[in-house]
Amino acid sequence: MPADRSEALPTARRPHRLAGGQPGLLEPGASTDPYRLRLYRVLRTDFPLGYDPGLGAWLLSRYADVALALTDPRFTGYPHDGAPRGPVPAPLGLCRGSLVCTPLPDGVTAPGPGPSADASQGAAPASMAATLSAVERTAYVLARRIAGRDRADLVGEFCRWLPAGADAVAAGLSYPDLNAPPRHAVHQRPGGGTGDCARHTGLRERALASFLANMLDDPDLLAAAAGSGAGILLGRAWTETLRRDPPVQIVLRRTRTEVRVSGGTLPGGAPVACLIGAAGRDPVRFAAPDRFDPLRSDADPLLTGPADCPAALLGRLEAEHGLRALLAAMPRIRWAEGFRPASSGVLTRGPRALLVRPS
């Protein structure tokens, strides 16, 4: 397993604390790394319920409290009631909860955890053919471009391009021009709305970059991913990435009435910030929570978001087929000498760069 990168930083770089000692979520230093700064740990342990004036919301950091806020009908969307109320989890992960979110072309569904998830073990359903083809084709073109270099940054040269290409196809547009810089354009599908989750390619970039960082950190996992029958492993690795390194760290909810949580009682009509990043590493819920372990027995689908969200489906396809393409074009891919991945952000989060040696 890769080394735990959650060690503490010097005291001088710890985030500013509010009155009473509670860490300020948006104060200077907090966004550097809330994991290494132990911000989430302090909140879970000492301040499971506290008000953050910078965010303008009550903070929930323990898994049990966050799960309650995401699924209990006493919570609703913020600032409007558009987000689902229990028992369906609130939008999180790559899902933005748009009211006009429309399905992928031809009713595309994600590959399941069984044998059909691996293309080598059977043909993909006909309804998935167009989207799978677009993702695979874009991934392999990008991977072949990188393969001949001595050094490359996967964030700038792969992660930003692959979701943009898949998004263009999902929006019903022509195949993207891979010679032009990728843009986070808002696409509109013919006859559909512009507010669907799939148009937010920036979140899929971050999730893809975190997925690749976790896989590249473990040569044994990479070797297993390159073998036949790796579909189940890749699916579990994607789910584990969304738990350990979620691209969206905070989901806002609102109480409809008073709600008792582990740290006290939330008033009715109160904005609530669910700290997904903290809940996903709660040691009460997950064993060795800082460790990336796709084979863990305590995996939880709650933190991945709605299973049928177009963005979630596209994100998983991009992660699985993106890694396959990289390994096919660069079977000896590894970190550049002296490089270690580092993420940033406390609202949304992902690696700033992924410097690799393709061969």
Side-chain angles (χ1 to χ4, degrees):
M1 290 296 174
D4 178 8
R5 300 197 297 266
S6 61
E7 67 277 8
L9 291 182
T11 303
R13 293 184 61 186
R14 290 178 182 171
H16 174 73
R17 295 194 176 222
L18 306 173
Q22 176 183 320
L25 201 64
L26 301 182
E27 295 297 327
S31 64
T32 304
D33 195 330
Y35 299 107
R36 295 182 69 196
L37 292 169
R38 303 188 184 276
L39 182 150
Y40 287 157
R41 181 180 302 183
V42 170
L43 287 172
R44 284 194 308 262
T45 303
D46 301 333
F47 303 94
L49 178 62
Y51 186 79
D52 190 312
L55 195 62
W58 294 86
L59 305 182
L60 296 180
S61 53
R62 293 178 177 175
Y63 175 87
D65 294 334
V66 168
L68 181 74
L70 294 177
T71 59
D72 193 287
R74 290 175 295 175
F75 292 82
T76 186
Y78 180 84
H80 307 295
D81 290 344
R85 296 196 290 265
V88 179
L92 77 161
L94 299 178
C95 180
R96 309 312 302 138
S98 172
L99 296 178
V100 293
C101 206
T102 50
L104 291 177
D106 302 320
V108 171
T109 57
S116 62
D118 190 342
S120 66
Q121 297 181 359
S127 61
M128 293 180 61
T131 299
L132 279 173
S133 176
V135 172
E136 289 178 326
R137 180 170 47 167
T138 306
Y140 278 97
V141 168
L142 296 173
R144 284 194 295 269
R145 288 184 176 185
I146 297 171
R149 302 181 187 177
D150 294 330
R151 183 181 173 105
D153 176 10
L154 294 183
V155 170
E157 300 180 65
F158 190 83
C159 297
R160 288 178 185 166
W161 292 76
L162 182 54
D167 186 59
V169 174
L173 304 180
S174 60
Y175 188 71
D177 178 10
L178 296 181
N179 293 309
R183 303 291 183 187
H184 295 163
V186 176
H187 300 306
Q188 181 171 3
R189 299 177 199 167
T194 60
D196 55 278
C197 296
R199 68 188 176 95
H200 294 279
T201 60
L203 292 179
R204 300 204 325 261
E205 284 181 21
R206 294 178 179 88
L208 176 59
S210 294
F211 172 81
L212 294 178
N214 286 326
M215 296 299 291
L216 284 164
D217 254 356
D218 193 329
D220 292 335
L221 276 178
L222 272 188
S228 60
I232 296 177
L233 172 64
L234 292 178
R236 293 180 68 99
W238 171 249
T239 298
E240 175 72 344
T241 293
L242 294 181
R243 175 201 70 84
R244 184 182 182 274
D245 303 291
V248 176
Q249 297 272 305
I250 299 174
V251 171
L252 294 177
R253 302 286 277 162
R254 182 171 58 81
T255 57
R256 304 177 67 216
T257 184
E258 286 190 355
V259 181
R260 178 72 180 175
V261 293
S262 65
T265 300
L266 286 164
V272 178
C274 300
L275 306 187
I276 306 300
R281 299 204 194 184
D282 189 340
V284 174
R285 175 61 181 82
F286 300 101
D290 292 327
R291 177 184 301 165
F292 181 76
D293 181 9
L295 303 181
R296 65 170 55 248
S297 60
D298 55 1
D300 189 345
L302 174 66
L303 297 180
T304 64
D308 59 350
C309 171
L313 300 180
L314 283 171
R316 176 170 171 174
L317 291 174
E318 289 157 4
E320 294 187 17
H321 292 284
L323 181 61
R324 291 178 190 271
L326 290 171
L327 291 176
M330 297 163 274
R332 297 177 58 194
I333 188 173
R334 60 197 182 278
W335 292 129
E337 185 175 355
F339 175 78
R340 294 298 303 152
S343 297
S344 63
V346 74
L347 299 179
T348 61
R349 185 170 179 80
R352 296 185 296 268
L354 297 176
L355 301 182
V356 297
R357 292 188 63 183
S359 60

